[in-house]
Each structure stands twice: as C-alpha cells, then as structure tokens.
Amino acid sequence: MPSYTVTVATGSQWFAGTDDYVYLSLEGTAGCSERHLLDKPFYNDFERGAVDSYDVTVEEDLGEIQLIKIEKRKYWYQDDWYLKYITVKTPVGDYLEFPCYRWITDEKEIVLRDGRAKLPRDDKTQILKQHRRKELETRQKMYRWKEWHPGFPLSIDAHSHSELPRDIQFDNEKGIDFILNYSKAMENLYVNRFMHMFQSSWSDFADFERIFVRISNTISEYVMQHWKEDFMFGYQFLNGCNPVLIRRCTEIPKKLPVTMDMVECSLERNLTLEEEVKQGNIFIVDYELLDGVDANKTDPCTIQYLAAPICLLYKNLENKIVPIAIQLGQKPGPDNPIFLPSDATYDWLLAKIWVRSSDFHIHQTVTHLLRTHLVSEVFSIAMFRQLPAVHPLFKLLVPHMRFTIAINTKAREQLICECGLFDKANATGGGGHVQMVQKAMKDLTYSSLCFPEEIKAKGMDSKEDIPYYYYRDDGIKVWEAIKSFAEDVIHIYYESDEVVCEDVELQAFVKDIYVYGMRGVKASGFPKTIRTREKLAEYLTVIIFTTSAQHAAVNFGQYDWCSWIPNAPPTMRRPPPTEKGTVTIEQIVESLPDRGRSCWHLGAVWALSQFQDNELFLGMYPDEHFVEKPVKEAMAKFRKNLDEIVNAITERNKNKKLPYYYLSPDRIPNSVAV
C-alpha cells in the first residue's frame, strides 16, 4: 500500500503548540484518503517550535496531491495551534510543500493547497476552483468593512483586539497595550514622579531637563542643545520625523503679505524676494489644515490652543534651509503679525515654537495616523477579502500586513478613541484629530503615495539644489529597490498585460481599495482597475513602500525629535501672540505643556519609537509563503540591493552629528505594527 511521509511544523511563538487531537486527510486527483490521527506513542506531539514526521499509509494511489485537510479536535480544553507548514513526501519520492502560517482555533479544520502560487486562470479542476472560492467567501465574512468616523477610510469591523480573527491578532496582547506601555515608558524614563503635579508649569527651559533622558551622542540630546537655532528649525523640515510638508515656493501667497523690506536682512544673494523665488531659493510650509480645528476641551482646568501658521524658508549660501518669516494665522491683519528673525529674541522663538507645535499635530494625525496606519489597514483588509492564500500577490503582500489591523484596532480601543490616551496631552485630542483626518482626506491621492512623484510635485527633487534632503535620497533608493522586486515577481506570474487584465481577484482587490478605502472618490486618483504589468508594479510598490518605509520614516524618529518638549509641544496653554515686543520667557514657559502633559507626551514618543520584539525588517521573509526557486532568487536579489543601500547610508552617516538612518533598510520594519 502506498505510504506518504508527512512533516508538520509548529510555530515558535508563545502558546503555539497544542495538546488537541490533529487529523490529516489527503486529497488527490485519483481519490481521497481516510482521516488519519497524527499521533506517536509516548511522545508529546505539536510542541512549540517542533517539527514532527508521520507515516500515512493509504489503500490505493491518490494521484497528484491537490489538497490536504487538517482537523483539530479538543483533547481536554480548547487549545489553539499555530501551524507553520506541512510537507508531504509521496511514494515516488516527490516533495510537496503546503504553507499555512495560521492559527487553528477551537474544533476547526483548514484545507491547504501546495505552495506553488497560482492565478485564477491556472486552476483547471473544479475542486481547486471551489477551494479558492470558498476561502474568499469565508474570509469576506470574517474581514468586514466598517466606518469608524464619517469621511474616514473604512476600517475593520471589530470593537476590540479580542474580536479580530485570531490570525491577525498580536501573539501577546499585553505587548501592545498602550496604557501599559506608556506607563512603563514613563517609569523607565523616571518621569512618573512628576505626574502628581499634572497642572503645574515648569519654571524655565532648564526645568524641562528634569524629565529629559540624556543618552550620549544621540539626536535627542543634539536637539536639546540646538533647538533654538534657525538651522535646526529648518533642518527638521528636511530630515526630522515629518519631512513631507516642505515645498518649493513658486509664488508668495496673498495671505502671507511678506515684503522685501521685512526679509531683506535674511537674504544673502543681493537679489529681491521675487528674484529669490524665481531662482528656487524660497520654500514654504503651510498648516492651513489646522485652521478651524477645535482645540482640546476635555480638561476644564486647562484651556488649550491651536494655530494654523504659514512659514517661509530660505536656502542660504551654505545650502541650509532657514526660516525668514512666520505668520501664526491664515488671515493677514494687524492682530496677526509676520514674525521675523530680526524681531526680539523671544518673539521669534515663540513664533517658531508655535510652528513646531503645529507640525507635531499634522505629523501625528495626518502624516502618521492617516497616511500610513489607516491607509495600510485598507490595503490589509482588501488583501484578506479578495486574494486567496494561493495567489502570488497575497504571498508577496502578507508579510507587509503583519499586525497592522491589530495595532490600529488597539489604537481605536485605547489611544484615539473618545477619552483615550490621545486626549491626555494633545491639543488636537477631544475630537480635533477626527476633524483633521476628515479634512486631510481630500489630499490623500494615489499620486501623493507614489514617493518620487510626490517629491517632484513639491519641487524638492533636485539633489543639486537641495543637497541635504536625506529623506528624499534614501526614500528614492528604497522605492526603486522595492519596485525592482515587485517587477521581478510580476514577470514570473504575469507573462503579459492581458494576464493582468484577466486576473479577476487582482481587479477585485484594487476595486475594494478604491470603493471602501478611498470611499469611491474619483479625485483620489486611485485606480479602479489595473491593466498593465507596469502599472501593477507601481501599485504594489505604493503598498509595500507605504506599509514599510514610509511608516518607518515618520514613526521611529519621534523620540529623537519630539522628546525635548519645547521642540515639539503637544499642546499650547496660551493663545498665539497678536503683537510684537511683548513676549517674555515667562510667557513662553506658561504657553508650553504643564508637567503632567509633558510626562504623558514623553512616554508616548518613547513607546511609539520602539521596535517590536522579534521585529522583521524589510526583505526578511522567514515565513516561506513562496516555494518556487525564481521567487526565492528575486528575494535574494532584493536583499542584496537593500544591503547595498544600508552600506551607502552607513558610510554617509559616518562622523555626522545628525545622522539620518530612518530609511536604512535594516531599520525599516516590514509592516505597520507599532
């Protein structure tokens, strides 16, 4: 009688093993086996991290094995099991791999196909077509769209992390408990001793050092020492944790009535302001989105304020970007003066602090929350709903969706919900952050997620004109490496544009993102269909880049740039100044966050800047969803390209006081998971 050797690999994460009964059935082109109990006498099967082998004897040859069915039945109590993969050695010596990488919960069963990626057109038999269809039907019931707030991209239909499908939950929920992590961070940073003084102000700038953790030679310490300098202020627009707002100014807007007399002493080329604009030396950052957003009113004891400044910047003869004019409101007038470097020291300093505070709000809510977290969740839900596990694009994308839905669900549960942690320290808490996302949706376009296109649209693409824009330089390299990898994989499975058009699952995936993620807004520019391999490569690059590199660029620098509170105040407790010559150091300190909010802020930026335990970085694919040699060769080429980028960035950063490493591939997690 024919005998098959079945090898079963159990996951190595906590509680991956099981004591339940596990049964296996083989289904081939010539017949099906009976259900076999996988059990060895006097042996503890399916322990965490174990690889166990079993002989399965059948009465007659089954032909080519197409499916295997795994059933789990309770032994003593419900015991979830994480199955990595199964391999089957056939009677003729062939090896078949069946990737799983899923949890089997309760008394459930799963049916696996072998690991060779297949498009819908590749399935010829009814049994394979039916398996494909049934998997998607099941997933679409589990992964449902839901509107969290009007105007938001749709998110997962789950009120809490525990309601999510087991496969996308964190292995250890405590590890992503925001309340626990923030409290732990404050304890580790020794700032919890200030929490009882929640409403009290700091005495002066030096007083902030009492909660500032100095770690030798880090960016955060350099920021503390140099934050008042115009160079440091301008540098952050290029290489801080929100390097996405600055654009070349082609015309001074009417709402910012800057004159030559105002800025003449800041210009170094003996040109007029108009000539400097024409030569491309003037840049602008406009926080118009904050205009009309309600400030946090959740604490009646502390009135909090927001502003919507406009900041004009200049590229000096050293090619450094420095501020030359700041207006703190959108409407010009006598009570909305334009602050200048030539003004009194504290006038200019407070104006810059207001810009930094506004930048913090845009960064947290738009750059970080909307444009990486919420967008990545849209990609994740659409993938699970429309791409079966056997589809090559599912295999390509699934590592980049790891824990994204889980972290966002946890955030809605604890962080950005009503009365959540976001309300404790941020002036945009209490609903302002919701208004901001709703307003920012109009600028969330497909082209704005295409990294090179967005850089060019802002006039920031010239390395000669703007030589120190490392976010741009490193981002372009990573984008190109990802795109090259996506093209390699596409050409393995899609032999022509016609095959792309015929892939009904791909088209359903793209449509789901457009209809539900982007709410069917035509102006978003998101495609409804994809018809060429070239466009598909770009589309996949947008997804992978957003979920990995873009998130890394705007997330992991938060402690570096925001831990020195005066450089990134999460709230302001005095309104913006309406006249010049009246600002004092006391007024500035009274405007900055109180002790309690400063501590919450510090705990938050520390916790958000930490990598996950056992983090998987870009190009690391330990779960072998792909089994084909050409794809593994493409992965090896991808890793080689990424290693070259790491080496180039490491070399550039040598001896730099302000190294830029957020887009170094060895520091880019595969997915949005924090």
Side-chain angles (χ1 to χ4, degrees):
M1 291 192 293
S3 180
Y4 296 81
T5 302
V6 175
T7 302
V8 181
T10 297
S12 56
Q13 58 267 66
W14 287 103
F15 311 114
T18 186
D19 288 326
D20 284 355
Y21 296 111
V22 173
Y23 297 89
L24 175 137
S25 308
L26 301 172
E27 193 163 342
T29 51
C32 303
S33 75
E34 293 183 355
R35 191 174 75 151
H36 289 264
L37 175 65
L38 300 182
D39 181 48
K40 288 188 271 191
F42 311 109
Y43 178 77
N44 205 346
D45 305 276
F46 315 119
E47 286 291 281
R48 174 185 165 209
V51 178
D52 303 313
S53 292
Y54 304 87
D55 289 327
V56 174
T57 302
V58 297
E59 293 184 359
E60 54 187 30
D61 183 57
L62 303 176
E64 183 183 344
I65 302 298
Q66 294 188 309
L67 303 171
I68 58 174
K69 182 193 287 187
I70 301 291
E71 299 174 66
K72 189 171 72 68
R73 296 293 178 258
K74 186 167 69 173
Y75 168 66
W76 185 249
Y77 59 91
Q78 292 298 349
D79 194 9
D80 294 351
W81 178 40
Y82 188 85
L83 173 60
K84 287 175 67 178
Y85 61 82
I86 291 176
T87 63
V88 176
K89 182 183 177 184
T90 68
V92 296
D94 294 334
Y95 279 89
L96 300 173
E97 298 178 54
F98 294 81
C100 181
Y101 303 105
R102 286 159 56 190
W103 287 94
I104 304 177
T105 60
D106 304 325
E107 295 198 345
K108 295 225 176 123
E109 61 183 51
I110 59 170
V111 180
L112 301 176
R113 287 182 59 164
D114 79 84
R116 292 170 296 177
K118 300 290 184 183
L119 296 173
R121 72 198 294 261
D122 299 326
D123 286 343
K124 307 301 183 187
T125 64
Q126 198 58 37
I127 188 172
L128 294 180
K129 291 178 181 178
Q130 185 180 354
H131 174 263
R132 196 172 195 122
R133 186 174 64 250
K134 191 173 179 182
E135 181 185 1
L136 288 180
E137 287 171 355
T138 302
R139 289 234 217 103
Q140 286 164 11
K141 291 174 184 174
M142 295 169 65
Y143 296 87
R144 302 173 306 277
W145 295 104
K146 181 183 178 183
E147 182 179 71
W148 189 55
H149 279 294
F152 273 49
L154 295 195
S155 50
I156 196 75
D157 184 6
H159 293 100
S160 65
H161 180 267
S162 60
E163 290 183 13
L164 294 173
R166 183 70 179 89
D167 288 329
I168 60 169
Q169 291 183 23
F170 279 96
D171 297 330
N172 175 14
E173 190 175 352
K174 284 185 180 177
I176 48 94
D177 187 297
F178 286 107
I179 296 171
L180 194 67
N181 286 354
Y182 283 23
S183 302
K184 196 186 299 178
M186 288 190 285
E187 190 176 327
N188 292 342
L189 298 168
Y190 303 107
V191 299
N192 50 351
R193 66 188 186 278
F194 295 105
M195 287 303 292
H196 69 284
M197 301 181 281
F198 199 83
Q199 304 288 344
S200 63
S201 297
W202 302 94
S203 305
D204 50 32
F205 291 137
D207 206 15
F208 280 99
E209 291 188 44
R210 296 176 66 189
I211 66 161
F212 184 74
V213 179
R214 282 202 232 178
I215 304 169
S216 182
N217 295 323
T218 61
I219 291 173
S220 55
E221 186 171 354
Y222 193 90
V223 171
M224 182 196 73
Q225 294 165 349
H226 298 276
W227 71 282
K228 295 180 185 178
E229 298 171 19
D230 286 354
F231 153 72
M232 175 58 78
F233 179 87
Y235 179 86
Q236 293 178 74
F237 288 114
L238 299 177
N239 301 309
C241 60
N242 193 27
V244 303
L245 298 184
I246 189 169
R247 60 171 62 242
R248 198 184 295 271
C249 183
T250 55
E251 183 182 4
I252 303 294
K254 291 179 181 177
K255 62 182 179 180
L256 181 66
V258 176
T259 64
M260 179 62 184
D261 289 343
M262 290 179 182
V263 298
E264 187 173 8
C265 60
S266 296
L267 307 182
E268 300 178 354
R269 293 179 176 82
N270 295 319
L271 300 173
T272 65
L273 178 59
E274 190 177 328
E275 288 168 339
E276 294 278 18
V277 169
K278 284 181 180 174
Q279 288 207 2
N281 297 322
I282 303 295
F283 301 84
I284 193 166
V285 180
D286 189 348
Y287 298 92
E288 183 180 13
L289 186 113
L290 283 163
D291 194 31
V293 171
D294 295 329
N296 193 339
K297 296 182 177 67
T298 58
D299 180 2
C301 299
T302 303
I303 301 175
Q304 300 177 61
Y305 297 90
L306 293 169
I310 309 169
C311 181
L312 208 62
L313 300 121
Y314 175 63
K315 184 185 73 172
N316 64 20
L317 290 174
E318 295 179 327
N319 283 325
K320 292 178 179 176
I321 304 290
V322 292
I324 58 172
I326 294 171
Q327 183 177 283
L328 296 180
Q330 291 288 309
K331 295 177 182 175
D335 59 349
N336 186 20
I338 296 174
F339 292 93
L340 308 165
S342 54
D343 289 341
T345 301
Y346 291 140
D347 281 3
W348 182 235
L349 182 60
L350 182 56
K352 289 192 292 181
I353 289 172
W354 267 104
V355 172
R356 293 297 310 139
S357 182
S358 301
D359 194 80
F360 175 81
H361 297 310
I362 295 288
H363 166 261
Q364 287 291 356
T365 303
V366 180
T367 307
H368 184 209
L369 173 63
L370 172 61
R371 297 181 70 88
T372 63
H373 277 262
L374 299 184
V375 168
S376 296
E377 183 175 2
V378 166
F379 298 149
S380 297
I381 298 170
M383 180 197 73
F384 282 113
R385 285 174 53 82
Q386 304 298 350
L387 299 177
V390 73
H391 198 291
L393 299 188
F394 179 90
K395 293 172 181 283
L396 176 68
L397 294 176
V398 71
H400 303 287
M401 308 301 166
R402 181 173 178 255
F403 299 145
T404 297
I405 298 174
I407 195 69
N408 285 4
T409 302
K410 202 70 182 173
R412 286 187 288 269
E413 198 180 338
Q414 292 184 329
L415 188 61
I416 55 175
C417 55
E418 192 174 346
C419 302
L421 293 175
F422 199 80
D423 290 357
K424 289 187 179 294
N426 295 287
T428 51
H433 59 301
V434 173
Q435 296 172 19
M436 289 173 69
V437 170
Q438 290 166 336
K439 292 174 76 171
M441 278 296 288
K442 73 178 190 314
D443 297 318
L444 179 58
T445 61
Y446 177 76
S447 63
S448 73
L449 297 179
C450 294
F451 188 84
E453 205 171 318
E454 176 68 352
I455 293 288
K456 191 170 185 179
K458 286 183 160 67
M460 301 295 292
D461 52 316
S462 172
K463 290 187 181 183
E464 290 182 4
D465 285 352
I466 314 159
Y468 304 121
Y469 197 11
Y470 306 127
Y471 163 74
R472 170 202 61 206
D473 300 342
D474 298 352
I476 293 286
K477 289 177 183 175
V478 174
W479 172 276
E480 291 299 334
I482 293 171
K483 189 176 180 187
S484 175
F485 175 47
E487 287 171 343
D488 288 345
V489 174
I490 287 166
H491 281 82
I492 293 168
Y493 296 102
Y494 294 90
E495 61 198 39
S496 66
D497 292 345
E498 186 181 359
V499 180
V500 173
C501 294
E502 289 175 358
D503 185 349
V504 292
E505 290 166 351
L506 162 64
Q507 303 304 337
F509 168 64
V510 171
K511 186 178 178 182
D512 239 31
I513 290 171
Y514 172 73
V515 171
Y516 297 106
M518 297 307 120
R519 311 301 298 267
V521 176
K522 194 174 181 181
S524 71
F526 271 77
K528 299 177 189 176
T529 59
I530 289 180
R531 302 192 175 280
T532 67
R533 294 191 293 179
E534 182 183 4
K535 192 66 178 176
L536 177 56
E538 180 188 77
Y539 195 82
L540 296 174
T541 305
V542 164
I543 293 173
I544 297 172
F545 186 88
T546 301
T547 57
S548 58
Q550 189 61 40
H551 179 256
V554 302
N555 181 73
F556 293 103
Q558 290 189 73
Y559 185 77
D560 288 347
W561 296 100
C562 303
S563 57
W564 179 244
I565 308 290
N567 188 59
T571 189
M572 297 291 276
R573 297 179 299 137
R574 295 287 181 272
T578 56
E579 56 183 342
K580 296 186 182 186
T582 62
V583 178
T584 63
I585 182 65
E586 291 77 18
Q587 183 182 339
I588 293 177
V589 173
E590 283 293 316
S591 296
L592 290 168
D594 56 42
R595 295 170 190 261
R597 287 179 175 82
S598 297
C599 293
W600 270 112
H601 170 80
L602 200 59
V605 297
W606 172 271
L608 291 170
S609 299
Q610 306 307 303
F611 293 120
Q612 287 280 335
D613 292 338
N614 305 315
E615 189 71 82
L616 297 175
F617 295 99
L618 193 58
M620 293 171 59
Y621 302 119
D623 292 355
E624 295 191 42
H625 292 276
F626 283 110
V627 301
E628 296 97 319
K629 188 179 177 182
V631 187
K632 293 189 176 183
E633 289 172 349
M635 287 178 174
K637 176 186 162 188
F638 182 38
R639 280 189 289 270
K640 183 174 179 290
N641 290 341
L642 295 176
D643 287 343
E644 289 173 1
I645 297 170
V646 170
N647 293 336
I649 291 173
T650 303
E651 187 63 32
R652 182 199 64 209
N653 283 339
K654 277 183 181 175
N655 304 318
K656 278 194 182 298
K657 291 177 181 176
L658 282 173
Y660 186 81
Y661 42 68
Y662 309 116
L663 282 169
S664 183
D666 59 345
R667 299 175 68 99
I668 298 174
N670 265 334
S671 63
V672 176
V674 66

